[in-house]
Amino acid sequence: MQANRNRWLIAISAIALHLSIGSVYAYSVYQNPINDSVGWTITSVTVAFTVAIFFLGMSAAFMGKFVERNGPRKSGLISALLFGLGTIGAGFSIQIENFAMFVTFYGVIGGIGLGIGYIAPVSTLVKWFPDRRGLATGMAVLGFGSGALITSPLAEFLMNNVSIASTFYILGTLYFVLMIAGASYLAPPPEGWKPANMQTDSEKEKPRTAATDLAQLSANESLRTMRFYLLWVMMFINISAGIMLLAVAANMTETITGASSAFAATVVGVMGFFNGIGRIGWASFSDYIGRANMYIVFFVIQLGAFIALPFTTNEVMFSILLYLIMTCYGGGFACLPAFIGDLFGTKQLGAIHGYTLTAWAMAGIAGPTAVSMTFERTGEFTSAFVLFTILLAVALFAAILMKVNIKRVKQETTTDMNVSA
């Protein structure tokens, strides 16, 4: 039965899940309305978002094996229940003006739903698309990056026409329905399944070949390799740099270029578009140049951009540099599942992906905190750029080390095979 499923519909089902949970990136649209309606400070309201990102990363780490054991369908349904309940509960918390309950529903319950929903379809997609890993995972994570583009105007419209609490009720119900629909179709392919273009040679077209996995490791075995920790460091720095900019992009644009608040707001909105484009574009490109090379490209681009940004007073050039960084931020997320498959195989990809996403939980705190603390102390962003330039240089070094490590492991594997023969 599973073999009869259409793998492109599997991809669309994954996108349905990620579009819903990706609405978390639209959280800033609620801040001022909640402040005006209930009186909670912007800083307090932001706590719920920080908690949600933290629980996203931690639940992805600790629930990865659960996802592998119970499959994407059941995991997706649980995610739908938790994320829908978290959103609806957040609305009820606003209605009764209970801040602790708001953080619990949106941050903790919704955050756990986020984490499970984020990793639930990924390993399944990699198995359905052994010939196009980057494209497959890029499509799903594109949904996550694009969720804010849909939720932001919809939430704005609802809040202008119904109460804020009702907005959360409506959105929570919509997320639940969409995620249930997506999760219901998700299923892994049968053992040993391959797409038609990998099964037979065609005289008209040379078939695609699957990426050669470096090893087939369990989640615990992956933790005993240098590759895992190099990957964790690379992801932590890539995410920290991106979230740092997302946290202060408007203020930074105004401060450095002297742009108007309206222009800065437009820049922030367009950043979400490039976040999404980077996810599908870079992930697809990684199928051709390899994931190890792709991450080196990410850090070279970002290193140059971070060096140039504090000296770029032209509004258009400043925006272009921000957009380039956003493509790398989104691309780093999109390439990650495929890279994990390349490095450790697909045996427990969901669990390993979860372990790696602890970098997201840590970066969600470290990035915004670092830039806000340096700005408060100095009144400018130069110190933050210096800090992140150093970190990106470390990430580039880690990416180069990763490539060297991969080459060494391949050579050892080839030598062992020759000895056995």
Side-chain angles (χ1 to χ4, degrees), residues 13-355:
S13 298
I15 292 172
L17 276 173
H18 276 221
L19 272 175
S20 300
I21 62 176
S23 63
V24 70
Y25 274 166
Y27 185 79
S28 61
V29 301
Y30 304 125
Q31 292 175 327
N32 287 330
I34 291 175
N35 172 253
D36 295 338
S37 174
V38 187
W40 300 337
T41 65
I42 298 297
T43 301
S44 297
V45 175
T46 305
V47 168
F49 174 77
T50 303
V51 171
I53 296 299
F54 177 79
F55 274 91
L56 185 164
M58 299 311 293
S59 62
F62 291 105
M63 297 299 288
K65 289 186 177 180
F66 173 87
V67 172
E68 290 290 348
R69 186 168 59 249
N70 292 279
R73 182 175 180 275
K74 182 181 290 186
S75 302
L77 294 175
I78 292 173
S79 171
L81 176 63
L82 291 175
F83 190 68
L85 177 63
T87 305
I88 292 170
F92 180 69
S93 304
I94 293 170
Q95 186 170 333
I96 66 172
E97 300 186 14
N98 189 316
F99 177 71
M101 184 182 291
F102 178 72
V103 174
T104 300
F105 271 107
Y106 192 91
V108 179
I109 297 174
I112 294 172
L114 273 169
I116 298 173
Y118 190 87
I119 61 174
V122 169
S123 62
T124 300
L125 273 176
V126 170
K127 292 170 185 175
W128 276 105
F129 288 84
D131 53 337
R132 298 176 180 178
R133 281 182 177 173
L135 172 64
T137 57
M139 284 189 294
V141 186
L142 167 66
F144 189 88
S146 303
L149 295 177
I150 297 174
T151 295
S152 291
L154 178 58
E156 196 76 45
F157 171 80
L158 289 172
M159 286 188 291
N160 289 332
N161 290 276
V162 298
S163 68
I164 300 174
S166 295
T167 297
F168 278 89
Y169 295 151
I170 294 169
L171 290 176
T173 303
L174 288 175
Y175 298 149
F176 178 75
V177 171
L178 188 60
M179 292 174 74
I180 288 290
S184 297
Y185 192 77
L186 288 176
E191 189 69 30
W193 178 88
K194 291 182 180 180
N197 64 355
M198 290 177 60
Q199 292 174 345
T200 59
D201 291 331
S202 170
E203 293 180 358
K204 295 182 179 180
E205 180 181 357
K206 184 179 179 180
R208 293 180 181 268
T209 56
T212 302
D213 298 337
L214 202 60
Q216 289 291 332
L217 303 181
S218 68
N220 289 338
E221 288 171 337
S222 72
L223 297 178
R224 295 196 287 270
T225 67
M226 180 189 292
R227 300 189 298 282
F228 176 85
Y229 297 98
L230 288 173
L231 184 59
W232 196 97
V233 168
M234 289 158 56
M235 290 306 301
F236 173 76
I237 295 175
N238 193 67
I239 297 168
S240 294
I243 287 185
M244 171 274 232
L245 291 180
L246 286 169
V248 297
N251 186 16
M252 183 180 288
T253 302
E254 292 179 48
T255 302
I256 295 176
T257 69
S260 66
S261 58
F263 180 87
T266 302
V267 169
V268 173
V270 178
M271 282 172 69
F273 171 77
F274 281 94
N275 183 355
I277 289 297
R279 291 168 189 255
I280 188 69
W282 288 126
S284 300
F285 188 51
S286 75
D287 282 333
Y288 297 95
I289 71 168
R291 254 67 68 175
N293 291 328
M294 193 73 261
Y295 278 91
I296 291 175
V297 170
F298 287 154
F299 296 125
V300 168
I301 290 174
Q302 290 182 91
L303 196 55
F306 267 80
I307 291 172
L309 272 171
F311 307 104
T312 305
T313 56
N314 180 275
E315 296 174 359
V316 174
M317 284 304 303
F318 190 87
S319 304
I320 290 172
L321 290 173
L322 286 181
Y323 299 153
L324 271 175
I325 295 170
M326 278 299 101
T327 67
C328 296
Y329 173 73
F333 277 117
C335 292
L336 177 60
F339 200 18
I340 291 172
D342 298 342
L343 296 174
F344 307 111
T346 59
K347 185 166 64 172
Q348 290 191 352
L349 191 149
I352 300 171
H353 191 207
Y355 287 162

